[in-house]
Amino acid sequence: MWRTLGKLGQAAWLCGNVYEAAAGVPELLVAARERRSPGLLAVGSPLRYFAPIAPFAIGATSVALARKWRTGNKTAIVASAASTAAAVGMTGYLVRTVNVPMLKGESTSDEAVARWHRINYARIGATALAAITFHWATK
């Protein structure tokens, strides 16, 4: 059960990150600043679609990896845990430095939007690596 929940959470997280990159979510938030109410849970907030999957993407993944530690492929377990932690760290940085100011309606520079995209591409890679190594680790 934990493996399935972890896989679903990771797939949703990866798809969400790819969607944000393809749709240009930071640009959409900046463009809609005049028409949307500021707030972390206001319309357009990524928190609305990421908050429900976080327990699965992080929690279920962690439980499944911990349960496989004694019998599983330790290299794959460590790789999955490390890449998940890297993706979580990048997410935290982006939320703190770019997303929250945008969602609160504060001005955001073009450099912040460009930084968001660069880090999001790295986050997509880390999330994809986490999903692949999670599959290997929990076979």
Side-chain angles (χ1 to χ4, degrees), residues 13-14 16-17 20 46-47 50-51 53-54 57-58 83-100 116 119-124 126-127:
W13 189 15
L14 179 60
N17 291 339
E20 285 186 326
L47 186 59
F50 279 123
I53 65 164
I58 299 165
S83 52
T84 299
V88 168
M90 286 184 261
T91 298
Y93 175 78
L94 289 175
V95 166
R96 185 177 53 80
T97 63
V98 181
N99 290 39
V100 169
W116 184 93
I119 294 171
N120 189 54
Y121 293 139
R123 180 174 62 163
I124 288 169
T127 307

Side-chain angles (χ1 to χ4, degrees), residues 7-117:
K7 281 186 164 193
L8 289 172
Q10 288 181 339
W13 189 15
L14 179 60
C15 289
N17 291 339
V18 170
Y19 160 77
E20 285 186 326
V25 169
E27 291 89 340
L28 292 175
L29 289 173
V30 169
R33 185 177 308 146
E34 303 299 321
R35 296 182 309 278
R36 69 181 289 281
S37 300
L40 298 180
L41 289 173
V43 173
S45 172
L47 186 59
R48 288 178 151 197
Y49 50 88
F50 279 123
I53 65 164
F56 301 106
I58 299 165
T61 295
S62 299
V63 170
L65 291 174
R67 292 177 69 138
K68 275 294 198 174
W69 182 253
R70 290 187 191 267
T71 61
N73 176 340
K74 288 187 179 36
T75 303
I77 292 169
V78 169
S80 183
S83 52
T84 299
V88 168
M90 286 184 261
T91 298
Y93 175 78
L94 289 175
V95 166
R96 185 177 53 80
T97 63
V98 181
N99 290 39
V100 169
M102 280 184 186
L103 294 171
K104 287 183 174 179
E106 299 168 5
S107 65
T108 306
S109 68
D110 290 341
E111 200 312 89
V113 171
R115 182 174 7 106
W116 184 93
H117 280 289

